[in-house]
Amino acid sequence: MTDLVIKSCGPMTSLQDRGRIGYQGFGVSPSGAMDRRALAVANTLVGNPPETAAVEFMNLGGAFTCEGGDLHVALAGAGCSLSIDGTPVAPQTSVVLKEGQSLEVGHPRTGTFAYLAVAGGIAVEPELGSLSFHLRSRLGGLKGSPLKAGDRLPALPEAQDREPMQLAVDLLEETGPIRVMLGPQDDYFTPETISLLLESEFTVSPQADRMGFQLTGPRLEHSRGFNIVSDGIVDGHIQVPGSGQPIVLMRDRQTAGGYPKIATVISADLARFAQLRPGMGLRFEAVERDAAVAAARRLKDWIASLPASLTPVRFALTTEHLLSRNLIGGTVDALAPAPADVND
Amino acid sequence: MRDVGPFRIVNRCLVPTPKILPCGDSAVTVEFGETIDPDINGMVLALDAIVRAQAPAGLIETVPTYRSLTIQFDPATTDFDALTGLLGDATKDLAPRRAVGRRWRVPVVYGGEYGIDLDEVAGLHGLTPSQVIEIHSSAVYRIYMIGFLPGFTYLGGLDRRIATSRRLHPRAKIPAGTIMIGGEQAGIAPMDMPSGWHNLGLTPVRPYAPGRDPVFLFAAGDEIVFEPVDASRWEALEKAVRAGEPVAEEVRP
């Protein structure tokens, strides 16, 4: 078996997949990849199903080697550079990491979360049906820990060819307000406060992690107090604690909570929201269920269409490729008189 | 069935009329009330059983809480109108079920280093520590929900004589197995965790133990009774727990 070996990585580097489904009634956070689109892109590039577990980077990159064989890998998500022994790999392209080579994932220039997928997936025993790491309950990942230098991730033997692939596809709708549906406790706020939510600009505060993003902006006043008897929470819920500053709950959220939720980010916009960095501004727009469901269908169809956009990298002009070719032989001097026999 | 304002009468019981609240495009919450009440919780668990049994297309999971059931689904697969139709039909004649689960006996060592707030709680209520133990261990508690952390057990049924508001300064870490009270609630800590509740004792029972079968011992709707034990008994039970035994005993109500 081939191991992906971690030489260095940030403190919140972890394994993430679709998440831990079916245990929220026992208090277990679902966790899972913060950007499912990017997880799907990285996995598709190496021939995996879209929700296979991958290494998730948060804010920082990392360095890797492999032992026991070669590994077919791909990176997607936040704008991180990827290089092998210093040679850059083109974006949206998979690459074969050879034993002894060094793979480097740069810090994200845009966005927060990036994913490194390994062909075949990672052969770590799932906990409660998932490899997703959850910090507070110490579930998933490698023995309930975040990834760190020295960790070895065994890759499952892959069935397919190890051929670098590229994906010719654009990401979905990357601009515009973050779409929300009002509720479930919008009746804890006056119509004026709802207008304030929908007409003001909010800023992502430095308190943004896998559990939730604290936002700063105008104070959202409650009209009926802010204590409710603990109630179910879903990804994207915008809860408003006593401070009046909203918190958007993300994958590592608790399963139940006691603050009113004014609105909920629609599922199709959650990945885009997750990639907003602290200090960035955003606006919310309220949509009806029909529009939210249509967006969810578009995202699902887009992920399903990814494998069809995959082509082998045969003619990519990477530095490595160019250096491996004889680019001199066969050239001609364009200014020299044409040989007599050409046009005769 | 007949509606009486926010309540309706089913089988001669006054039960709350449920509200179906949107939680984005991927979930709805069916809310039966806004208070901690065994009948409301009984409605939640009764509806949970129906939704699980019918398993509408695209259902991902259901999360019962004190007073509401959250139903998560795949918006691209689930027919939302069909789902709300099912919920409407299911809640029409739904009656609360008070006890739907098992009853567990959970051994506890009270006070001293095991329950560091016992003396303080006794002092606050003008009781002796043994009176607090007597009151705490003679009630039958209902598990309203499991949440916050894997296996954290929220109990209702605390005697009002020992109901104690939360500590001003929450502790950063209390040990797994802590038996605690907060307001009119009681709880069992499944693992080391932060808490602002008062610690009365410690049990060797682990509501959550990865690798054990079952991983989760208790479910919402079960009942708990506490049995005071001494420290030497606790040591023996702690050993059994480390060997993978549940130690909590199922008893007949």
Side-chain angles (χ1 to χ4, degrees):
Chain A
M1 198 173 276
T2 308
D3 285 350
L4 181 68
V5 182
I6 302 176
K7 293 202 306 192
S8 66
C9 66
M12 277 309 295
T13 309
S14 65
L15 289 179
Q16 296 295 337
D17 53 22
R18 181 195 183 200
R20 199 162 272 109
I21 309 294
Y23 299 95
Q24 287 188 71
F26 293 104
V28 179
S29 171
S31 306
M34 293 286 278
D35 184 344
R36 289 182 190 187
R37 300 166 313 178
L39 179 70
V41 167
N43 274 317
T44 302
L45 278 165
V46 293
N48 292 343
E51 291 169 333
T52 307
V55 176
E56 181 184 272
F57 301 91
M58 178 175 167
N59 293 325
L60 298 167
F64 301 82
T65 55
C66 61
E67 283 176 23
D70 302 344
L71 283 178
H72 184 196
V73 299
L75 183 77
C80 304
S81 61
L82 179 68
S83 62
I84 289 187
D85 285 345
T87 305
V89 176
Q92 307 232 79
T93 306
S94 72
V95 68
V96 175
L97 176 67
K98 294 202 169 64
E99 193 163 9
Q101 286 185 321
S102 180
L103 180 93
E104 204 141 326
V105 176
H107 303 327
R109 293 180 306 271
T110 59
T112 303
F113 297 96
Y115 298 86
L116 181 69
V118 181
I122 291 157
V124 169
E125 198 60 39
E127 278 189 279
L128 303 180
S130 170
L131 293 187
S132 288
F133 168 65
H134 184 240
L135 180 68
R136 296 187 62 189
S137 58
R138 296 178 204 102
L139 275 169
L142 284 183
K143 294 181 184 132
S145 292
L147 298 175
K148 59 185 187 309
D151 280 346
R152 306 169 74 91
L153 299 172
L156 286 163
E158 42 175 325
Q160 71 280 12
D161 296 337
R162 293 176 179 182
E163 185 176 16
M165 302 295 274
Q166 62 191 1
L167 206 48
V169 69
D170 293 325
L171 285 184
L172 291 165
E173 299 162 22
E174 287 304 289
T175 55
I178 299 293
R179 291 168 291 181
V180 300
M181 282 174 61
L182 293 178
Q185 279 102 23
D186 48 321
D187 60 335
Y188 273 71
F189 302 89
T190 60
E192 292 72 35
T193 303
I194 304 279
S195 302
L196 211 52
L197 174 78
L198 300 174
E199 286 160 16
S200 314
E201 176 155 307
F202 290 87
T203 305
V204 179
S205 93
Q207 279 81 48
D209 58 21
R210 287 188 43 86
M211 195 172 170
F213 281 29
Q214 171 90 57
L215 305 180
T216 52
R219 188 188 163 95
L220 302 177
E221 299 279 359
H222 304 77
S223 58
R224 297 168 54 196
F226 55 84
N227 278 300
I228 61 172
V229 172
S230 285
D231 182 42
I233 288 178
V234 304
D235 292 349
H237 259 165
I238 306 175
Q239 72 173 16
V240 185
S243 68
Q245 298 295 290
I247 301 169
V248 182
L249 296 163
M250 305 299 280
R251 308 286 188 208
D252 278 359
R253 60 182 171 75
Q254 294 166 208
T255 54
Y259 294 118
K261 283 87 67 177
I262 192 170
T264 312
V265 176
I266 69 168
S267 60
D269 280 1
L270 210 54
R272 179 159 66 96
F273 177 80
Q275 295 287 12
L276 295 175
R277 290 154 73 114
M280 287 176 79
L282 72 138
R283 281 172 182 278
F284 293 115
E285 177 193 3
V287 296
E288 297 295 326
R289 178 176 299 280
D290 287 354
V293 170
R297 291 219 168 101
R298 268 202 304 283
L299 175 60
K300 192 170 185 171
D301 291 346
W302 180 80
I303 288 175
S305 76
L306 288 176
S309 315
L310 211 54
T311 54
V313 186
R314 288 215 178 84
F315 305 106
L317 294 178
T318 61
T319 312
E320 189 185 33
H321 181 84
L322 292 173
L323 289 173
S324 72
R325 294 289 180 273
N326 176 358
L327 301 176
I328 306 298
T331 55
V332 292
D333 182 350
L335 298 176
D341 61 341
V342 168
N343 294 314
D344 284 357
Chain B
M1 182 201 80
R2 130 182 116 78
D3 284 340
V4 187
F7 295 94
R8 59 194 192 187
I9 296 168
V10 177
N11 301 339
R12 293 193 202 156
C13 296
L14 200 59
V15 298
T17 306
K19 285 196 269 185
I20 298 180
L21 305 169
C23 296
D25 54 323
S26 313
V28 288
T29 288
V30 183
E31 185 185 278
F32 289 95
E34 300 186 0
T35 54
I36 298 176
D37 176 278
D39 282 348
I40 289 173
N41 191 239
M43 297 284 277
V44 171
L45 298 176
L47 181 62
D48 187 30
I50 292 172
V51 175
R52 282 164 181 264
Q54 302 223 359
L59 178 73
I60 293 175
E61 67 181 303
T62 58
V63 187
T65 71
Y66 278 109
R67 61 193 182 97
S68 62
L69 181 70
T70 298
I71 299 152
Q72 298 182 3
F73 52 83
D74 172 9
T77 308
T78 299
D79 178 342
F80 182 72
D81 294 334
L83 176 70
T84 47
L86 185 162
L87 295 173
D89 290 346
T91 52
K92 222 174 262 168
D93 293 313
L94 200 65
R97 282 193 284 168
R98 295 206 58 149
V100 296
R102 303 152 292 180
R103 181 178 288 181
W104 301 90
R105 186 159 55 207
V106 172
V108 184
V109 187
Y110 285 95
E113 58 181 300
Y114 299 93
I116 53 177
D117 298 324
L118 177 69
D119 293 349
E120 189 191 328
V121 168
L124 282 170
H125 297 288
L127 299 165
T128 63
S130 23
Q131 283 173 317
V132 173
I133 295 171
E134 166 64 24
I135 291 168
H136 185 262
S137 61
S138 57
V140 176
Y141 297 87
R142 176 196 179 87
I143 301 181
Y144 275 88
M145 62 185 268
I146 315 260
F148 186 67
L149 279 173
F152 184 85
T153 310
Y154 284 94
L155 304 173
L158 184 71
D159 193 306
R160 280 172 191 242
R161 283 175 291 168
I162 56 169
T164 311
S165 71
R166 291 173 180 77
R167 291 168 48 81
L168 271 182
H169 302 286
R171 295 190 174 100
K173 190 171 159 183
I174 59 153
T178 296
I179 300 298
M180 52 216 232
I181 59 174
E184 290 187 25
Q185 302 175 78
I188 306 174
M191 56 179 69
D192 295 355
M193 60 181 280
S195 170
W197 292 16
H198 299 270
N199 303 352
L200 299 188
L202 203 61
T203 179
V205 172
R206 293 291 172 273
Y208 163 70
R212 181 186 63 195
D213 184 21
V215 173
F216 299 97
L217 219 45
F218 311 134
D222 287 358
E223 291 176 332
I224 300 249
V225 289
F226 293 113
E227 177 194 23
V229 296
D230 61 23
S232 63
R233 177 83 183 123
W234 188 86
E235 292 290 344
L237 292 170
E238 177 76 12
K239 262 186 207 135
V241 162
R242 270 188 252 122
E245 282 182 46
V247 166
E249 225 179 309
E250 225 183 305
V251 289
R252 296 248 161 256

